[in-house]
Amino acid sequence: MAGRQGERRDQISQTLASMLENPRVEKITTKALAEQLGVSEAALYRHFASKAQMYEKLIEFIENTLFSLINKIQSDSEDGCTQAEQITSMLLGFAEKNPGMTRVLTGEALVHEDERLQQRINQIFERIEACFRQSLRIAQLAEQLPREHDHGAHASVLAAYVTGRWQLFVKTGFKRRPRDGWEAQRTFLLTACNGVATTH
């Protein structure tokens, strides 16, 4: 029973993410979500106490996915500049593959929802920037970056670049893809590294 309950919760979260892929829909109602699933609204509330909890489940999935990928990148390579580049590329690629979830990450899908959801997203951004700082600090210690390099400011720029590309993707109805122009832009973003990272 518990397993079936978990599967149903996952199905609700996946359907919510799928519905968010329609850029013309500003707000997802529980009525519309229930209709999409072919169940009653009451059935939804047997699995979640509120719509905010439905979004929290989706945010939890996004967070776990992103940071498991970041951890893998950081464990697979000891090169700090390569880590920073691959993390940036991964974050852009995740958005392209998951437009509905990107609307959550940008907060666009949360405008009419519980404010604590945006706080969760803000925490994700802070963690992403911290990961960039960690990688750039590794690069600095390995003398890939100058000793006086401000790796904190550099991390902030990379995080802002990623969130800006996500925002553009959402604001253009998913027409301007996050990775468009990345091959050229990465040179500018990581030019401080000795021999800019060349992995894709």
Side-chain angles (χ1 to χ4, degrees):
M1 177 69 78
R4 204 175 310 141
Q5 171 90 351
E7 288 175 12
R8 195 59 168 162
R9 285 168 62 90
D10 289 343
Q11 184 183 15
I12 292 169
S13 295
Q14 290 164 7
T15 302
L16 176 59
S18 178
M19 292 176 72
L20 287 168
E21 291 182 5
N22 182 349
R24 292 184 297 276
V25 176
E26 291 187 5
K27 181 179 180 180
I28 306 292
T29 63
T30 51
K31 179 181 179 182
L33 181 58
E35 288 175 354
Q36 187 72 22
L37 286 159
V39 300
S40 66
E41 285 186 77
L44 291 181
Y45 289 113
R46 283 199 289 272
H47 300 281
F48 293 97
S50 64
K51 187 164 66 161
Q53 278 194 2
M54 299 176 199
Y55 274 104
E56 283 178 335
K57 174 75 173 174
L58 186 55
I59 292 170
E60 181 182 321
F61 171 80
I62 294 169
E63 186 172 25
N64 289 341
T65 301
L66 291 180
F67 291 105
S68 66
L69 291 170
I70 288 174
N71 289 340
K72 186 176 188 307
I73 288 169
Q74 292 181 323
S75 63
D76 285 352
S77 174
E78 295 181 357
D79 185 304
C81 285
T82 296
Q83 288 180 13
E85 184 200 14
Q86 291 183 347
I87 290 170
T88 306
S89 181
M90 179 277 292
L91 292 170
L92 300 178
F94 177 86
E96 277 193 19
K97 293 175 185 175
N98 302 283
M101 294 183 193
T102 306
R103 287 184 68 192
V104 176
L105 280 166
T106 62
E108 194 264 355
L110 305 176
V111 172
H112 305 290
E113 307 301 336
D114 193 305
E115 64 179 23
R116 76 174 184 271
L117 298 171
Q118 184 59 57
Q119 291 169 1
R120 283 286 304 277
I121 294 298
N122 293 344
Q123 290 169 0
I124 291 176
F125 289 159
E126 289 170 6
R127 286 186 65 191
I128 287 172
E129 188 168 334
C131 290
F132 278 129
R133 279 198 304 274
Q134 179 182 345
S135 293
L136 293 170
R137 178 61 176 159
I138 290 170
Q140 193 173 35
L141 291 172
E143 299 183 346
Q144 291 179 295
L145 293 168
R147 184 177 300 175
E148 68 277 8
H149 188 75
D150 189 336
H151 61 278
H154 194 167
S156 182
V157 168
L158 290 175
Y161 168 78
V162 168
T163 55
R165 297 300 299 180
W166 287 349
Q167 289 279 2
L168 186 61
F169 186 45
V170 170
K171 296 300 183 187
T172 59
F174 309 134
K175 292 182 176 63
R176 291 284 299 275
R177 295 179 302 172
R179 284 181 56 84
D180 288 349
W182 164 238
E183 291 307 312
Q185 292 160 3
R186 57 196 273 275
T187 302
F188 300 108
L189 290 164
L190 294 160
T191 191
C193 290
N194 291 336
V196 178
T198 55
T199 55
H200 297 264

